[in-house]
Amino acid sequence: MSLWMVLPVSLPVLTITGIWVVYAMALYNQHVCPVDNWLYNQSCEEDLYLQSGPTLCCTLDNVPLISKCGTLPPESCFFSLICSTGSFMVMVIVLLRYAHVIEKHQNCVLNTASLSTGWICAAGLIMVGNFQVDNAKVLHYVGAGIAFPTSMLFVCLQSALTYRLAKTQGEYNMAHLRLCMTLLAFGALVLSGVFFCQESFVLQHASAIFEWVFCVIIMLFYGTFAFEFAGMSSDTMVVLARGTLGPAGREHKVDTLGSLGGPIPHQPENMSIL
């Protein structure tokens, strides 16, 4: 079992824990409303009987969206750190997944498209984390407009790729799991976007809840790559070094197997590229 499987497991542990810590900090500093409070008012001059803090109030400026939780210091500093670290880990995981597919199977359109969308998503995540919505609204929304759709597209492509490459029952079970997570993430993203455009306090709050659900599902989806990363070998690094497992890469694997005295596997002449 390869230690590389620790990387996809670490991503959801770090990011999910991190954004909840940011939310706790924002709530403690009374920068956002609690996620379990659905009462809102028009201004902070009116007290709400369900609020615990003496000066805490809930308006549309305090909706507990993830971006809102990380827009004011000191929590904005941790939010930027988490987004930057998470985006770097996403880039590494996506790259290793790309190379692992080439090593074990063969490159295809789904694999290349997944690499592209994964890296674009990481770039959008960096923008979201480092341009707070209250300080650089346009750049923040550009980053969110990049990160959210591309992350959704990435999980769709990876679900299709998992079905495309599945051969064993365990691989089919993983494909089913990823499909379920993709459908749940899609539903949460659509509902979050639709409710976000409304002026209702309740719908805005519901949008924040679905945004949290979407992000948690996406991070857990990355964690499922531990299934493939557990079987990752040093040949994956060879693929990364050579770019693709073309003739040179295949000769390297054949030479390695021959030097170990093992049988040289037959390489198929053609494989359909989906």
Side-chain angles (χ1 to χ4, degrees), residues 208-252:
I209 300 298
F210 283 114
E211 183 186 58
W212 281 89
V213 172
F214 173 78
C215 291
V216 169
I217 292 175
I218 294 298
M219 291 298 103
L220 292 177
F221 188 98
Y222 278 98
T224 63
F225 289 128
F227 178 79
E228 288 87 1
F229 282 29
M232 190 174 292
S233 65
S234 59
D235 289 330
T236 307
M237 302 301 107
V238 175
V239 174
L240 289 178
R242 295 178 180 271
T244 59
L245 195 59
R250 282 195 291 268
E251 289 175 4
H252 170 81

mmCIF file of all heavy atoms in Angstrom, residues 208-252:
data_model
loop_
_atom_site.group_PDB
_atom_site.id
_atom_site.type_symbol
_atom_site.label_atom_id
_atom_site.label_comp_id
_atom_site.label_asym_id
_atom_site.label_seq_id
_atom_site.Cartn_x
_atom_site.Cartn_y
_atom_site.Cartn_z
ATOM 1 N N ALA A 208 -26.639 29.600 1.631
ATOM 2 C CA ALA A 208 -25.399 29.379 2.376
ATOM 3 C C ALA A 208 -25.269 27.928 2.826
ATOM 4 O O ALA A 208 -24.191 27.333 2.751
ATOM 5 C CB ALA A 208 -25.346 30.312 3.583
ATOM 6 N N ILE A 209 -26.378 27.351 3.280
ATOM 7 C CA ILE A 209 -26.356 25.958 3.730
ATOM 8 C C ILE A 209 -25.973 25.031 2.584
ATOM 9 O O ILE A 209 -25.103 24.144 2.717
ATOM 10 C CB ILE A 209 -27.713 25.545 4.300
ATOM 11 C CG1 ILE A 209 -28.091 26.426 5.502
ATOM 12 C CG2 ILE A 209 -27.706 24.080 4.699
ATOM 13 C CD1 ILE A 209 -27.159 26.330 6.666
ATOM 14 N N PHE A 210 -26.571 25.230 1.417
ATOM 15 C CA PHE A 210 -26.275 24.372 0.270
ATOM 16 C C PHE A 210 -24.854 24.599 -0.250
ATOM 17 O O PHE A 210 -24.237 23.685 -0.798
ATOM 18 C CB PHE A 210 -27.297 24.594 -0.849
ATOM 19 C CG PHE A 210 -28.616 23.933 -0.601
ATOM 20 C CD1 PHE A 210 -29.765 24.683 -0.407
ATOM 21 C CD2 PHE A 210 -28.719 22.549 -0.558
ATOM 22 C CE1 PHE A 210 -30.981 24.073 -0.176
ATOM 23 C CE2 PHE A 210 -29.933 21.924 -0.330
ATOM 24 C CZ PHE A 210 -31.065 22.688 -0.137
ATOM 25 N N GLU A 211 -24.338 25.820 -0.099
ATOM 26 C CA GLU A 211 -22.952 26.071 -0.478
ATOM 27 C C GLU A 211 -22.003 25.259 0.392
ATOM 28 O O GLU A 211 -21.036 24.672 -0.104
ATOM 29 C CB GLU A 211 -22.630 27.554 -0.363
ATOM 30 C CG GLU A 211 -21.215 27.903 -0.821
ATOM 31 C CD GLU A 211 -20.868 29.352 -0.554
ATOM 32 O OE1 GLU A 211 -20.923 29.769 0.628
ATOM 33 O OE2 GLU A 211 -20.536 30.069 -1.524
ATOM 34 N N TRP A 212 -22.272 25.224 1.691
ATOM 35 C CA TRP A 212 -21.468 24.404 2.596
ATOM 36 C C TRP A 212 -21.552 22.927 2.214
ATOM 37 O O TRP A 212 -20.542 22.215 2.189
ATOM 38 C CB TRP A 212 -21.946 24.598 4.039
ATOM 39 C CG TRP A 212 -21.450 25.845 4.684
ATOM 40 C CD1 TRP A 212 -22.041 27.078 4.673
ATOM 41 C CD2 TRP A 212 -20.232 26.006 5.431
ATOM 42 N NE1 TRP A 212 -21.279 27.979 5.377
ATOM 43 C CE2 TRP A 212 -20.174 27.359 5.849
ATOM 44 C CE3 TRP A 212 -19.211 25.147 5.791
ATOM 45 C CZ2 TRP A 212 -19.122 27.857 6.611
ATOM 46 C CZ3 TRP A 212 -18.160 25.645 6.552
ATOM 47 C CH2 TRP A 212 -18.113 26.980 6.951
ATOM 48 N N VAL A 213 -22.762 22.470 1.905
ATOM 49 C CA VAL A 213 -22.943 21.064 1.525
ATOM 50 C C VAL A 213 -22.156 20.748 0.260
ATOM 51 O O VAL A 213 -21.473 19.716 0.169
ATOM 52 C CB VAL A 213 -24.441 20.755 1.319
ATOM 53 C CG1 VAL A 213 -24.637 19.361 0.728
ATOM 54 C CG2 VAL A 213 -25.192 20.863 2.640
ATOM 55 N N PHE A 214 -22.227 21.641 -0.729
ATOM 56 C CA PHE A 214 -21.511 21.426 -1.986
ATOM 57 C C PHE A 214 -20.009 21.312 -1.761
ATOM 58 O O PHE A 214 -19.355 20.389 -2.268
ATOM 59 C CB PHE A 214 -21.813 22.575 -2.950
ATOM 60 C CG PHE A 214 -20.990 22.545 -4.209
ATOM 61 C CD1 PHE A 214 -21.317 21.680 -5.241
ATOM 62 C CD2 PHE A 214 -19.896 23.385 -4.371
ATOM 63 C CE1 PHE A 214 -20.556 21.643 -6.406
ATOM 64 C CE2 PHE A 214 -19.137 23.360 -5.523
ATOM 65 C CZ PHE A 214 -19.469 22.486 -6.542
ATOM 66 N N CYS A 215 -19.444 22.245 -1.004
ATOM 67 C CA CYS A 215 -17.999 22.243 -0.779
ATOM 68 C C CYS A 215 -17.545 21.007 -0.008
ATOM 69 O O CYS A 215 -16.492 20.422 -0.309
ATOM 70 C CB CYS A 215 -17.591 23.509 -0.041
ATOM 71 S SG CYS A 215 -17.762 25.011 -1.023
ATOM 72 N N VAL A 216 -18.330 20.586 0.975
ATOM 73 C CA VAL A 216 -17.968 19.390 1.741
ATOM 74 C C VAL A 216 -17.987 18.154 0.840
ATOM 75 O O VAL A 216 -17.078 17.310 0.895
ATOM 76 C CB VAL A 216 -18.924 19.215 2.941
ATOM 77 C CG1 VAL A 216 -18.732 17.838 3.576
ATOM 78 C CG2 VAL A 216 -18.676 20.309 3.977
ATOM 79 N N ILE A 217 -18.994 18.041 -0.021
ATOM 80 C CA ILE A 217 -19.090 16.879 -0.918
ATOM 81 C C ILE A 217 -17.906 16.855 -1.885
ATOM 82 O O ILE A 217 -17.305 15.800 -2.140
ATOM 83 C CB ILE A 217 -20.417 16.901 -1.690
ATOM 84 C CG1 ILE A 217 -21.594 16.663 -0.739
ATOM 85 C CG2 ILE A 217 -20.424 15.824 -2.780
ATOM 86 C CD1 ILE A 217 -22.950 16.796 -1.405
ATOM 87 N N ILE A 218 -17.554 18.019 -2.432
ATOM 88 C CA ILE A 218 -16.432 18.077 -3.373
ATOM 89 C C ILE A 218 -15.133 17.654 -2.701
ATOM 90 O O ILE A 218 -14.329 16.886 -3.263
ATOM 91 C CB ILE A 218 -16.290 19.497 -3.957
ATOM 92 C CG1 ILE A 218 -17.500 19.840 -4.824
ATOM 93 C CG2 ILE A 218 -15.003 19.600 -4.785
ATOM 94 C CD1 ILE A 218 -17.692 18.957 -6.028
ATOM 95 N N MET A 219 -14.910 18.127 -1.486
ATOM 96 C CA MET A 219 -13.686 17.758 -0.773
ATOM 97 C C MET A 219 -13.664 16.261 -0.450
ATOM 98 O O MET A 219 -12.624 15.605 -0.559
ATOM 99 C CB MET A 219 -13.554 18.580 0.503
ATOM 100 C CG MET A 219 -13.261 20.057 0.279
ATOM 101 S SD MET A 219 -11.685 20.345 -0.576
ATOM 102 C CE MET A 219 -12.255 20.709 -2.242
ATOM 103 N N LEU A 220 -14.805 15.712 -0.058
ATOM 104 C CA LEU A 220 -14.877 14.264 0.200
ATOM 105 C C LEU A 220 -14.658 13.470 -1.085
ATOM 106 O O LEU A 220 -14.096 12.370 -1.051
ATOM 107 C CB LEU A 220 -16.231 13.910 0.812
ATOM 108 C CG LEU A 220 -16.483 14.432 2.233
ATOM 109 C CD1 LEU A 220 -17.902 14.068 2.692
ATOM 110 C CD2 LEU A 220 -15.456 13.871 3.215
ATOM 111 N N PHE A 221 -15.091 14.026 -2.218
ATOM 112 C CA PHE A 221 -14.861 13.368 -3.508
ATOM 113 C C PHE A 221 -13.366 13.227 -3.767
ATOM 114 O O PHE A 221 -12.900 12.168 -4.216
ATOM 115 C CB PHE A 221 -15.523 14.170 -4.623
ATOM 116 C CG PHE A 221 -15.522 13.483 -5.964
ATOM 117 C CD1 PHE A 221 -16.635 12.786 -6.395
ATOM 118 C CD2 PHE A 221 -14.404 13.525 -6.794
ATOM 119 C CE1 PHE A 221 -16.642 12.147 -7.632
ATOM 120 C CE2 PHE A 221 -14.402 12.896 -8.019
ATOM 121 C CZ PHE A 221 -15.514 12.198 -8.445
ATOM 122 N N TYR A 222 -12.613 14.285 -3.497
ATOM 123 C CA TYR A 222 -11.156 14.193 -3.650
ATOM 124 C C TYR A 222 -10.582 13.122 -2.729
ATOM 125 O O TYR A 222 -9.600 12.458 -3.075
ATOM 126 C CB TYR A 222 -10.507 15.541 -3.354
ATOM 127 C CG TYR A 222 -10.528 16.507 -4.507
ATOM 128 C CD1 TYR A 222 -11.500 17.497 -4.598
ATOM 129 C CD2 TYR A 222 -9.570 16.435 -5.515
ATOM 130 C CE1 TYR A 222 -11.517 18.393 -5.659
ATOM 131 C CE2 TYR A 222 -9.581 17.321 -6.579
ATOM 132 C CZ TYR A 222 -10.561 18.289 -6.644
ATOM 133 O OH TYR A 222 -10.575 19.172 -7.707
ATOM 134 N N GLY A 223 -11.172 12.971 -1.559
ATOM 135 C CA GLY A 223 -10.691 11.957 -0.629
ATOM 136 C C GLY A 223 -10.828 10.549 -1.157
ATOM 137 O O GLY A 223 -10.059 9.655 -0.758
ATOM 138 N N THR A 224 -11.780 10.317 -2.069
ATOM 139 C CA THR A 224 -11.966 8.966 -2.608
ATOM 140 C C THR A 224 -10.814 8.524 -3.495
ATOM 141 O O THR A 224 -10.684 7.337 -3.804
ATOM 142 C CB THR A 224 -13.278 8.875 -3.410
ATOM 143 O OG1 THR A 224 -13.225 9.751 -4.550
ATOM 144 C CG2 THR A 224 -14.470 9.252 -2.538
ATOM 145 N N PHE A 225 -9.959 9.463 -3.922
ATOM 146 C CA PHE A 225 -8.813 9.076 -4.743
ATOM 147 C C PHE A 225 -7.794 8.254 -3.955
ATOM 148 O O PHE A 225 -6.854 7.705 -4.549
ATOM 149 C CB PHE A 225 -8.136 10.308 -5.334
ATOM 150 C CG PHE A 225 -8.939 10.973 -6.410
ATOM 151 C CD1 PHE A 225 -9.213 12.337 -6.354
ATOM 152 C CD2 PHE A 225 -9.428 10.251 -7.474
ATOM 153 C CE1 PHE A 225 -9.955 12.957 -7.338
ATOM 154 C CE2 PHE A 225 -10.182 10.857 -8.466
ATOM 155 C CZ PHE A 225 -10.448 12.210 -8.402
ATOM 156 N N ALA A 226 -7.961 8.173 -2.649
ATOM 157 C CA ALA A 226 -7.098 7.300 -1.858
ATOM 158 C C ALA A 226 -7.225 5.854 -2.322
ATOM 159 O O ALA A 226 -6.292 5.061 -2.177
ATOM 160 C CB ALA A 226 -7.464 7.415 -0.375
ATOM 161 N N PHE A 227 -8.380 5.509 -2.903
ATOM 162 C CA PHE A 227 -8.603 4.152 -3.418
ATOM 163 C C PHE A 227 -7.595 3.828 -4.514
ATOM 164 O O PHE A 227 -7.006 2.733 -4.534
ATOM 165 C CB PHE A 227 -10.036 4.046 -3.944
ATOM 166 C CG PHE A 227 -10.373 2.708 -4.546
ATOM 167 C CD1 PHE A 227 -10.673 1.623 -3.735
ATOM 168 C CD2 PHE A 227 -10.394 2.535 -5.922
ATOM 169 C CE1 PHE A 227 -10.975 0.388 -4.290
ATOM 170 C CE2 PHE A 227 -10.704 1.312 -6.487
ATOM 171 C CZ PHE A 227 -10.994 0.226 -5.661
ATOM 172 N N GLU A 228 -7.380 4.757 -5.459
ATOM 173 C CA GLU A 228 -6.401 4.534 -6.527
ATOM 174 C C GLU A 228 -4.977 4.804 -6.062
ATOM 175 O O GLU A 228 -4.045 4.110 -6.461
ATOM 176 C CB GLU A 228 -6.725 5.421 -7.732
ATOM 177 C CG GLU A 228 -7.937 5.009 -8.533
ATOM 178 C CD GLU A 228 -9.227 5.596 -7.997
ATOM 179 O OE1 GLU A 228 -9.153 6.347 -7.001
ATOM 180 O OE2 GLU A 228 -10.297 5.311 -8.566
ATOM 181 N N PHE A 229 -4.804 5.812 -5.209
ATOM 182 C CA PHE A 229 -3.458 6.185 -4.789
ATOM 183 C C PHE A 229 -2.813 5.108 -3.921
ATOM 184 O O PHE A 229 -1.589 5.077 -3.779
ATOM 185 C CB PHE A 229 -3.489 7.506 -4.033
ATOM 186 C CG PHE A 229 -3.606 8.711 -4.930
ATOM 187 C CD1 PHE A 229 -4.248 8.622 -6.156
ATOM 188 C CD2 PHE A 229 -3.095 9.940 -4.546
ATOM 189 C CE1 PHE A 229 -4.368 9.725 -6.988
ATOM 190 C CE2 PHE A 229 -3.205 11.051 -5.367
ATOM 191 C CZ PHE A 229 -3.847 10.941 -6.601
ATOM 192 N N ALA A 230 -3.615 4.233 -3.334
ATOM 193 C CA ALA A 230 -3.061 3.148 -2.518
ATOM 194 C C ALA A 230 -2.224 2.196 -3.363
ATOM 195 O O ALA A 230 -1.314 1.534 -2.854
ATOM 196 C CB ALA A 230 -4.182 2.389 -1.814
ATOM 197 N N GLY A 231 -2.508 2.120 -4.660
ATOM 198 C CA GLY A 231 -1.752 1.254 -5.554
ATOM 199 C C GLY A 231 -0.754 1.991 -6.417
ATOM 200 O O GLY A 231 -0.255 1.435 -7.400
ATOM 201 N N MET A 232 -0.449 3.228 -6.086
ATOM 202 C CA MET A 232 0.478 4.017 -6.889
ATOM 203 C C MET A 232 1.911 3.526 -6.681
ATOM 204 O O MET A 232 2.307 3.179 -5.572
ATOM 205 C CB MET A 232 0.359 5.498 -6.509
ATOM 206 C CG MET A 232 1.100 6.436 -7.432
ATOM 207 S SD MET A 232 0.766 8.158 -7.022
ATOM 208 C CE MET A 232 -0.966 8.270 -7.467
ATOM 209 N N SER A 233 2.676 3.488 -7.762
ATOM 210 C CA SER A 233 4.051 2.994 -7.710
ATOM 211 C C SER A 233 5.011 4.061 -8.221
ATOM 212 O O SER A 233 4.614 5.162 -8.609
ATOM 213 C CB SER A 233 4.190 1.720 -8.557
ATOM 214 O OG SER A 233 3.969 2.012 -9.931
ATOM 215 N N SER A 234 6.291 3.708 -8.237
ATOM 216 C CA SER A 234 7.304 4.642 -8.730
ATOM 217 C C SER A 234 7.154 4.895 -10.224
ATOM 218 O O SER A 234 7.654 5.902 -10.741
ATOM 219 C CB SER A 234 8.702 4.089 -8.441
ATOM 220 O OG SER A 234 8.880 2.815 -9.060
ATOM 221 N N ASP A 235 6.456 4.003 -10.935
ATOM 222 C CA ASP A 235 6.240 4.215 -12.359
ATOM 223 C C ASP A 235 5.401 5.463 -12.619
ATOM 224 O O ASP A 235 5.480 6.061 -13.695
ATOM 225 C CB ASP A 235 5.556 3.000 -12.983
ATOM 226 C CG ASP A 235 6.479 1.800 -13.059
ATOM 227 O OD1 ASP A 235 7.702 2.013 -13.180
ATOM 228 O OD2 ASP A 235 5.993 0.663 -12.995
ATOM 229 N N THR A 236 4.580 5.835 -11.645
ATOM 230 C CA THR A 236 3.792 7.057 -11.800
ATOM 231 C C THR A 236 4.690 8.269 -11.904
ATOM 232 O O THR A 236 4.430 9.194 -12.684
ATOM 233 C CB THR A 236 2.832 7.222 -10.603
ATOM 234 O OG1 THR A 236 2.057 6.033 -10.450
ATOM 235 C CG2 THR A 236 1.903 8.402 -10.818
ATOM 236 N N MET A 237 5.779 8.286 -11.121
ATOM 237 C CA MET A 237 6.726 9.386 -11.209
ATOM 238 C C MET A 237 7.434 9.396 -12.561
ATOM 239 O O MET A 237 7.789 10.448 -13.077
ATOM 240 C CB MET A 237 7.755 9.279 -10.079
ATOM 241 C CG MET A 237 7.167 9.274 -8.673
ATOM 242 S SD MET A 237 6.214 10.741 -8.287
ATOM 243 C CE MET A 237 4.539 10.086 -8.313
ATOM 244 N N VAL A 238 7.650 8.200 -13.135
ATOM 245 C CA VAL A 238 8.262 8.107 -14.462
ATOM 246 C C VAL A 238 7.347 8.740 -15.495
ATOM 247 O O VAL A 238 7.789 9.452 -16.406
ATOM 248 C CB VAL A 238 8.549 6.638 -14.815
ATOM 249 C CG1 VAL A 238 9.072 6.526 -16.248
ATOM 250 C CG2 VAL A 238 9.536 6.038 -13.832
ATOM 251 N N VAL A 239 6.042 8.494 -15.352
ATOM 252 C CA VAL A 239 5.075 9.089 -16.272
ATOM 253 C C VAL A 239 5.122 10.605 -16.175
ATOM 254 O O VAL A 239 5.094 11.312 -17.186
ATOM 255 C CB VAL A 239 3.657 8.566 -15.960
ATOM 256 C CG1 VAL A 239 2.620 9.293 -16.807
ATOM 257 C CG2 VAL A 239 3.571 7.073 -16.221
ATOM 258 N N LEU A 240 5.198 11.121 -14.954
ATOM 259 C CA LEU A 240 5.275 12.567 -14.774
ATOM 260 C C LEU A 240 6.555 13.133 -15.383
ATOM 261 O O LEU A 240 6.555 14.216 -15.963
ATOM 262 C CB LEU A 240 5.224 12.911 -13.279
ATOM 263 C CG LEU A 240 3.879 12.712 -12.578
ATOM 264 C CD1 LEU A 240 4.009 13.037 -11.104
ATOM 265 C CD2 LEU A 240 2.803 13.570 -13.220
ATOM 266 N N ALA A 241 7.655 12.390 -15.246
ATOM 267 C CA ALA A 241 8.931 12.866 -15.772
ATOM 268 C C ALA A 241 8.951 12.866 -17.297
ATOM 269 O O ALA A 241 9.532 13.752 -17.922
ATOM 270 C CB ALA A 241 10.075 12.013 -15.232
ATOM 271 N N ARG A 242 8.299 11.880 -17.887
ATOM 272 C CA ARG A 242 8.331 11.743 -19.340
ATOM 273 C C ARG A 242 7.137 12.411 -20.019
ATOM 274 O O ARG A 242 7.084 12.461 -21.238
ATOM 275 C CB ARG A 242 8.383 10.260 -19.735
ATOM 276 C CG ARG A 242 9.664 9.585 -19.278
ATOM 277 C CD ARG A 242 9.653 8.110 -19.636
ATOM 278 N NE ARG A 242 10.876 7.455 -19.196
ATOM 279 C CZ ARG A 242 11.979 7.358 -19.926
ATOM 280 N NH1 ARG A 242 11.990 7.884 -21.138
ATOM 281 N NH2 ARG A 242 13.051 6.758 -19.454
ATOM 282 N N GLY A 243 6.167 12.849 -19.249
ATOM 283 C CA GLY A 243 5.013 13.534 -19.817
ATOM 284 C C GLY A 243 3.868 12.594 -20.087
ATOM 285 O O GLY A 243 2.781 12.750 -19.591
ATOM 286 N N THR A 244 4.074 11.588 -20.908
ATOM 287 C CA THR A 244 3.079 10.555 -21.196
ATOM 288 C C THR A 244 3.789 9.226 -21.277
ATOM 289 O O THR A 244 4.989 9.156 -21.485
ATOM 290 C CB THR A 244 2.357 10.807 -22.541
ATOM 291 O OG1 THR A 244 3.332 10.844 -23.585
ATOM 292 C CG2 THR A 244 1.582 12.129 -22.532
ATOM 293 N N LEU A 245 3.037 8.175 -21.174
ATOM 294 C CA LEU A 245 3.622 6.844 -21.280
ATOM 295 C C LEU A 245 3.598 6.424 -22.744
ATOM 296 O O LEU A 245 2.873 5.541 -23.160
ATOM 297 C CB LEU A 245 2.837 5.853 -20.413
ATOM 298 C CG LEU A 245 3.517 4.523 -20.137
ATOM 299 C CD1 LEU A 245 4.842 4.748 -19.432
ATOM 300 C CD2 LEU A 245 2.637 3.617 -19.307
ATOM 301 N N GLY A 246 4.384 7.137 -23.529
ATOM 302 C CA GLY A 246 4.504 6.826 -24.943
ATOM 303 C C GLY A 246 5.478 5.692 -25.151
ATOM 304 O O GLY A 246 5.746 4.893 -24.251
ATOM 305 N N PRO A 247 6.076 5.580 -26.347
ATOM 306 C CA PRO A 247 7.020 4.488 -26.611
ATOM 307 C C PRO A 247 8.180 4.471 -25.641
ATOM 308 O O PRO A 247 8.599 3.423 -25.173
ATOM 309 C CB PRO A 247 7.481 4.778 -28.046
ATOM 310 C CG PRO A 247 6.358 5.557 -28.668
ATOM 311 C CD PRO A 247 5.793 6.379 -27.549
ATOM 312 N N ALA A 248 8.703 5.655 -25.288
ATOM 313 C CA ALA A 248 9.839 5.681 -24.363
ATOM 314 C C ALA A 248 9.436 5.188 -23.000
ATOM 315 O O ALA A 248 10.164 4.449 -22.337
ATOM 316 C CB ALA A 248 10.389 7.112 -24.266
ATOM 317 N N GLY A 249 8.233 5.594 -22.552
ATOM 318 C CA GLY A 249 7.774 5.161 -21.239
ATOM 319 C C GLY A 249 7.514 3.677 -21.210
ATOM 320 O O GLY A 249 7.823 2.994 -20.234
ATOM 321 N N ARG A 250 6.949 3.131 -22.281
ATOM 322 C CA ARG A 250 6.673 1.698 -22.321
ATOM 323 C C ARG A 250 7.969 0.898 -22.358
ATOM 324 O O ARG A 250 8.087 -0.164 -21.757
ATOM 325 C CB ARG A 250 5.793 1.385 -23.534
ATOM 326 C CG ARG A 250 4.323 1.734 -23.313
ATOM 327 C CD ARG A 250 3.463 1.086 -24.368
ATOM 328 N NE ARG A 250 3.695 1.706 -25.686
ATOM 329 C CZ ARG A 250 2.983 2.717 -26.149
ATOM 330 N NH1 ARG A 250 2.039 3.259 -25.411
ATOM 331 N NH2 ARG A 250 3.216 3.212 -27.344
ATOM 332 N N GLU A 251 8.978 1.413 -23.098
ATOM 333 C CA GLU A 251 10.260 0.725 -23.121
ATOM 334 C C GLU A 251 10.883 0.695 -21.735
ATOM 335 O O GLU A 251 11.491 -0.299 -21.343
ATOM 336 C CB GLU A 251 11.198 1.433 -24.107
ATOM 337 C CG GLU A 251 10.808 1.234 -25.578
ATOM 338 C CD GLU A 251 11.688 2.062 -26.495
ATOM 339 O OE1 GLU A 251 12.625 2.704 -25.961
ATOM 340 O OE2 GLU A 251 11.445 2.067 -27.718
ATOM 341 N N HIS A 252 10.700 1.794 -20.964
ATOM 342 C CA HIS A 252 11.247 1.834 -19.606
ATOM 343 C C HIS A 252 10.600 0.749 -18.750
ATOM 344 O O HIS A 252 11.278 0.028 -18.023
ATOM 345 C CB HIS A 252 11.002 3.204 -18.986
ATOM 346 C CG HIS A 252 11.330 3.249 -17.521
ATOM 347 N ND1 HIS A 252 12.612 3.394 -17.059
ATOM 348 C CD2 HIS A 252 10.535 3.122 -16.413
ATOM 349 C CE1 HIS A 252 12.614 3.391 -15.741
ATOM 350 N NE2 HIS A 252 11.358 3.225 -15.324
#
